[in-house]
Amino acid sequence: MAITSPRPDSAPKTASLFSAIVIVASLGYFVDIYDLILFSIVRVKSLNDLGITAAAAVTDQGLFLINMQMGGMLLGGILWGILGDKRGRLSVLFGSILLYSLANLANGFVQTIDQYAWLRLIAGVGLAGELGAGITLVSETLPKEKRGYGTMIVATVGVSGAMLAYWVGEALGWRNAYFVGGGLGLALLALRVGVYESGMFEQAKQAETERGNFLSLFTNGPRLARYLKCLLIGVPLWFVVGILITLAPEFGRALGITGEVTAGLGVFWCYFGLVFGDFASGTLSQIFRSRNRALQLFLVLCGLLCAVYLFAIRGASPTAFYVVCFVLGFTVGFWALFVTVAAEQFGTNLRATVATTAPNFARGSVVMLVPLFKGLSGLQVGGQPLGIIGSAAIIGVVSLLIAFWAVSTLPESYGKDLDYLEE
């Protein structure tokens, strides 16, 4: 149950879409995405340099390292989310940037798979905090009529970090790419001047209501239902990025693509599409005056493009494959809109917890999707293995249908007053 308590002296708000908070949150997400996606781009080259050369071993070790990174994000999502509501949004924003920057600098020096794995875990913990804290700050400081545009700017700027990761990885090598990512994060910390704490959070500190109680999300039936639905909306995006795009070389071979397909270019074109998708989904949610209708539209488009990717481009050229990656990226360009919806569903004393854990649990769904994907691909159907195409199709259909149901049954949050507390 929510207690509505608007306060005239609550938050200092800004009417500008280009305030210091929006700029820092956008650049923070830019570096976050750079570091998050970098491993997918340099996976093959870095593992080859570390002595892993067989194709099957590269796939297995790559999935193991992805799971370590995503496992770290699951842990970090809970840690930073609780801290965001207990200590403040700014402490999480800059603390998470510092941790993942240092971890990525260290990643450039790894010599063994074990070192690589532990540093991806630590980097994952750091990467878990920035987006939720940034979206929460932007949502609480912009007027309700503009916050959809504000979070759209954060996403559009942020996801372009993946393209920089590709260019740097190709031009400078995988070790230097990690050094650049760490350096960008440390440089970003210098922009703290002019960024203030959320006024809604400052007011919540004066109330007696408990803040950042993660377990309270599970002690109230309607609240738990809202939370689980928020998590489920983001799973299809990470099915696409974590499986279809990260394993682009493997899918290229299975589809009989006529030339070499690289994970780096797959990620580049997917995230190039995401830039436009995040812009479009955020804008449409404002035009429709409905977050839910915009999300439903993008989930339907995502289903159509997943079908094209898996069944309609067999024997196509690499160029055609990358075009599909681009359009597929556009259809999953609802990431910031998804996090915005999660933030808008909960009161100030739990908002950072939800806005931080929801995207990281969605990202962390890859930890469960990967073994499911591998298990289904070896399943015998009619005496033949289902293979990676059939396995991906099953997971895609189920995750998209569940996400569409979750969106359709969530309360609409467009224009909602966020200045209230959860009981």
Side-chain angles (χ1 to χ4, degrees):
M1 177 179 177
I3 306 173
T4 303
S5 53
R7 292 174 289 271
D9 62 338
S10 60
K13 288 183 180 288
T14 175
S16 174
L17 288 174
F18 299 99
S19 64
I21 287 175
V22 175
I23 291 171
V24 170
S26 299
L27 293 177
Y29 190 38
F30 179 91
V31 180
D32 179 298
I33 287 293
Y34 174 103
D35 289 331
L36 176 65
I37 295 302
L38 183 58
F39 173 72
S40 294
I41 292 172
V42 302
R43 171 177 64 101
V44 175
K45 291 182 180 178
S46 62
L47 289 173
N48 288 168
D49 281 355
L50 293 175
I52 309 297
T53 55
V58 168
T59 300
D60 287 343
Q61 292 291 349
L63 291 173
F64 165 64
L65 291 171
I66 289 172
N67 279 348
M68 289 293 285
Q69 176 176 294
M70 293 304 178
M73 299 190 81
L74 287 174
L75 297 173
I78 298 172
L79 169 67
W80 296 117
I82 292 172
L83 286 176
D85 280 322
K86 288 187 177 294
R87 300 293 300 275
R89 287 68 163 119
L90 282 184
S91 62
V92 170
L93 185 67
F94 294 115
S96 62
I97 290 172
L98 177 62
L99 181 59
Y100 72 63
S101 297
L102 294 175
N104 279 290
L105 285 173
N107 236 140
F109 294 103
V110 299
Q111 300 298 324
T112 68
I113 294 296
D114 285 344
Q115 292 172 356
Y116 210 169
W118 284 110
L119 285 171
R120 291 326 297 157
L121 176 72
I122 295 170
V125 172
L127 290 165
E130 194 282 333
L131 177 62
I135 292 292
T136 302
L137 266 173
V138 170
S139 297
E140 291 180 344
T141 54
L142 284 176
K144 61 185 179 182
E145 300 82 9
K146 292 186 176 182
R147 63 176 178 247
Y149 290 121
T151 55
M152 176 202 70
I153 292 170
V154 172
T156 303
V157 172
V159 295
S160 59
M163 293 183 284
L164 179 65
Y166 171 75
W167 289 326
V168 172
E170 288 293 307
L172 302 181
W174 69 274
R175 291 187 186 275
N176 288 328
Y178 279 120
F179 295 148
V180 169
L184 287 173
L186 294 178
L188 181 60
L189 295 178
L191 295 180
R192 287 180 295 176
V193 177
V195 180
Y196 52 82
E197 184 57 86
S198 161
M200 289 186 192
F201 170 75
E202 295 292 356
Q203 288 291 333
K205 285 169 62 177
Q206 307 305 317
E208 295 182 1
T209 305
E210 187 176 14
R211 306 189 313 276
N213 183 353
F214 177 67
L215 295 180
S216 70
L217 292 169
F218 303 90
T219 59
N220 176 286
R223 184 185 298 153
L224 175 60
R226 271 184 290 145
Y227 182 60
L228 293 177
K229 289 174 184 178
C230 288
L231 302 184
L232 293 170
I233 296 170
V235 173
L237 188 150
W238 282 93
F239 159 70
V240 169
V241 173
I243 292 180
L244 297 187
I245 300 301
T246 296
L247 300 179
E250 288 83 352
F251 279 101
R253 288 191 291 271
L255 291 167
I257 300 301
T258 58
E260 182 184 5
V261 169
T262 68
L265 274 175
V267 169
F268 174 89
W269 286 110
C270 177
Y271 270 81
F272 193 24
L274 265 159
V275 171
F276 295 95
D278 271 309
F279 181 86
S281 65
T283 302
L284 286 175
S285 78
Q286 295 291 118
I287 294 172
F288 292 165
R289 302 177 69 84
S290 170
R291 311 289 191 222
N292 292 6
R293 286 172 59 195
L295 284 168
Q296 288 170 331
L297 174 61
F298 271 74
L299 287 169
V300 170
L301 293 175
C302 180
L304 293 174
L305 262 294
C306 284
V308 171
Y309 181 97
L310 293 171
F311 301 111
I313 57 172
R314 188 173 295 275
S317 68
T319 299
F321 181 88
Y322 293 132
V323 168
V324 172
C325 288
F326 170 81
V327 184
L328 186 56
F330 177 88
T331 69
V332 292
F334 55 83
W335 186 240
L337 180 59
F338 147 66
V339 181
T340 302
V341 167
E344 291 175 339
Q345 291 290 332
F346 291 84
T348 306
N349 55 320
L350 281 176
R351 187 167 298 128
T353 299
V354 172
T356 305
T357 56
N360 286 298
F361 282 8
R363 287 164 166 167
S365 66
V366 174
V367 174
M368 295 178 287
L369 292 178
V370 165
L372 180 61
F373 169 74
K374 292 176 68 176
L376 285 175
S377 64
L379 188 66
Q380 296 288 323
V381 178
Q384 297 292 325
L386 193 60
I388 66 172
I389 302 297
S391 174
I394 291 172
I395 295 173
V397 168
V398 173
S399 63
L400 282 162
L401 287 176
I402 292 175
F404 193 90
W405 167 81
V407 171
S408 302
T409 54
L410 264 181
E412 177 58 58
S413 61
Y414 173 85
K416 182 180 179 181
D417 186 356
L418 300 186
D419 195 9
Y420 69 94
L421 302 174
E422 298 277 342
E423 255 190 354

